[in-house]
Amino acid sequence: MDQVVKVGLIGFGTVGSGVVKILQNNADLIARRVGRDVVLAKIADLDVTTDRGVTVPTGVLTTNVNDILDDPQIDIVVELIGGHEPAKRFILQALSSKKGVVTANKALLADHGEEVFEAAFNAQADLGFEASVGGGIPIIRSLTEGLAGNHLTSIMGIMNGTSNYILTRMTEEARDFGDILQEATREGYAEADPSLDIDGIDAAHKLVIMVNLAYGTPVSMGAVYTEGISKISTVDIAFARELGFTIKLLGIAKCLGQVIEARVHPTLVPTESPMAQVHGVYNAIHLVGDAVGDIVLYGQGAGSLPTASAVVGDIIDLARNRIHESFSRVSPTSFQWESRKPLSIKLMAEIESRYYLRCMVKDEPSVLSTISGILGKHGISISSVLQKERKQGQPVPLIILTHRSIERGIQSALQDINALSIISESTTLIRMEDVE
Ligand code: NDP
Ligand code: HSE
């Protein structure tokens, strides 16, 4: 091996340019930590003319990805283009050449993780993906190493920076989310396709990766109930606030023996809880281990430098492994490949939760008793009610918070409620969670 560790970067966008900045600005620190210089040998992007806010030596930029993949001198390939293809092909090719691979591509790992993990296992090559979950938060290494001695009973938290940024601004400024999403995109937080953020899919990608590592089981995206923030209005944010709650997009995983609960949806959390204090692009992931108890990891969940921090951490880890020729020491799946066991994911209809309901009702006297009667018939008990003053001839909101009940029951009750002639629009349902 050379006296330097050579890195090839594919994708010189938001995160890629952050990686270049850290490798340049902290080169000395990194060399002292690794024991060799870590040199950025090539950067491949479709566009090598746009100013990325960082200067690279002549000859480093290329539009030909094979300048990296086919170069036997390059030890570590960093994939930061995103999406399924050609990212998967590049990663598989690099692994089969026994190069170390670092990626931030949660969509790829959630949708095709088994193929990528198996390729790394077969090649006995290193695969780092710390930046795929929680931006700069070291959650992957916590799951695979720091907390590896624990049975994890739950993983819960804010795992999409863009949605949290939007919900925070909606809460603080009572603005609707269209222009706030544009701001998140300008800041470099949103995915190339921002519907992945606002529809909860990006958070579900991250939950799938974490469940896989925490419980040693493959998980398919289809098994994870996923609902985003696009239906959350400033009206619901204001009512929730009046009742002492804040709305957050949460990813929730619970281990119930041989069954896992895994879901992503907007959630009312108590306003005084730490989860409600997580603002803007910050993420917070709360884990409970049987030995360690409660752990919360908190930090910037998106953006150029925070995410690049995680990527560079992986580059350093892989560089150290190459120097010591100690590849694949930590399985990327956290569990040994042959020790993983498929676990089933609980059906959403069977989960238990508290619920916030906003019924838009016509101004008639017996409305509350009619609706509470339907909820009672389905075994759902009410914990509080908020009814706004009536305005002649206009529908009024009736807010109901329930005690814990089974999802199947609340969905059946909603069907009956929405069929009533006194209901002027489909009832809004938001789940609630007793976070600490
Ligand atoms: P960007 O869109 O900013 O950057 C991607 C870059 O890759 C673009 O310059 C793009 O060029 C280039 N590219 C696309 N296809 C190819 C190709 N075939 N060959 C060479 N270059 C190509 O994305 P981000 O930096 O934001 O995201 C990169 C990855 O990191 C994604 O997987 C994302 O999910 C993940 N991530 C992003 C975070 C963030 O905060 N932004 C946080 C955590 C993870 P062009 O623009 O011309 O298409
Ligand atoms: N779009 C993602 C987010 C990037 O907003 O959280 C970080 O994974």
Side-chain angles (χ1 to χ4, degrees), residues 104 106 131-135 159-163 188-191 197 202 206 281 283 301-303 307:
K106 53 271 162 113
S132 65
V133 182
M159 38 196 84
N160 180 265
T162 302
S163 299
Y189 303 152
E191 295 302 304
D197 296 294
D202 178 75
K206 293 163 178 168
V281 74
N283 284 189
T307 309

Side-chain angles (χ1 to χ4, degrees), residues 30 34 67 203 227 246 323 329 425:
I30 292 167
V34 170
D67 288 347
E227 183 185 319
T246 301
I323 290 165
R329 191 182 58 81
E425 63 182 70

Side-chain angles (χ1 to χ4, degrees), residues 11 13-15 44-46 52 80-82 86 104-106 131 188 191 302-303 307:
T14 303
V15 183
D45 198 287
L46 300 174
R52 311 286 179 167
L80 293 174
I81 62 175
N105 194 334
K106 53 271 162 113
E191 295 302 304
T307 309

